[in-house]
Amino acid sequence: NAGVTQTPKFRILKIGQSMTLQCTQDMNHNYMYWYRQDPGMGLKLIYYSVGAGITDKGEVPNGYNVSRSTTEDFPLRLELAAPSQTSVYFCASSRDSRWYFGPGTRLTVT
Amino acid sequence: AQTVTQSQPEMSVQEAETVTLSCTYDTSESDYYLFWYKQPPSRQMILVIRQEAYKQQNATENRFSVNFQKAAKSFSLKISDSQLGDAAMYFCAYRSRTDYGQNFVFGPGTRLSVLP
């Protein structure tokens, strides 16, 4: 199993640009999550999904969108990027209360 | 809403010694999970140990053990025989057992340095 994979690893965006962060897991987990980690802080939940076709907002959803068309994939879309979205983004999946995190995507918006 | 507090932004320990990282949390729920995650410079989040609140016995994983005090809402991590590879950020995290997805709360983290 590759576990949870994320692409890209790094990205620099200009203000107002859009992009999609990809996340894929091969463990057949129903639950998937997107978190952001700001410098010196813990993780904050952006969106989560309990299965294909079902998504819901977390603590900090503004400026983001997600979709879950398959069990494996859970992309995070940034529309009109802002400097406040500069962060490290982690995708995760879970089963039986065990979380598996991807390696993260470092995003800088300038 | 649940909160998780880690009052030690930074800690250091001598190689082969023992160190304890503190974590307190606030919740009105009785059934939940608590976790310690390690984040090395590679940024990968690695599960260190997990505790289920309904279990009185403290969880252990090799050199890692916890002191879970449910009434005091305290969940400290003890690392024995510290190794250079233990140097990382450590995050304490809380998850509701019944509210899927929404209530997974992380603390701000403690940066652990291991001195040779």
Side-chain angles (χ1 to χ4, degrees), chain A residues 22-79:
Chain A
Q22 301 292 343
C23 175
T24 300
Q25 53 91 10
D26 62 359
M27 297 172 283
N28 201 34
H29 289 171
N30 284 326
Y31 295 91
M32 295 188 73
Y33 314 81
W34 273 106
Y35 293 90
R36 60 177 287 172
Q37 183 182 32
D38 297 329
M41 304 289 285
L43 279 69
K44 292 191 175 182
L45 182 64
I46 304 172
Y47 270 95
Y48 69 100
S49 170
V50 300
I54 307 170
T55 62
D56 207 346
K57 296 178 180 178
E59 183 181 356
V60 289
N62 292 343
Y64 307 94
N65 275 302
V66 293
S67 60
R68 185 92 182 272
S69 57
T70 66
T71 299
E72 295 78 21
D73 300 309
F74 190 40
L76 177 71
R77 178 80 177 165
L78 279 73
E79 304 281 2

Side-chain angles (χ1 to χ4, degrees), chain A residues 33 35 37 41-42 45 48 57 88 90 96-99 101 103-104 106, chain B residues 33 35 37 39 43-45 47 50 91 95 100-102 104 106-108:
Chain A
Y33 314 81
Y35 293 90
Q37 183 182 32
M41 304 289 285
L45 182 64
Y48 69 100
K57 296 178 180 178
V88 179
F90 288 95
D96 298 331
S97 72
R98 293 188 182 276
W99 265 253
F101 285 84
R106 184 178 295 277
Chain B
Y33 296 102
F35 306 84
Y37 276 91
Q39 187 181 41
R43 299 204 319 269
Q44 184 84 29
M45 294 286 280
L47 176 65
R50 179 184 77 155
F91 292 96
R95 181 191 176 274
Y100 294 103
Q102 189 80 10
F104 196 175
F106 282 83

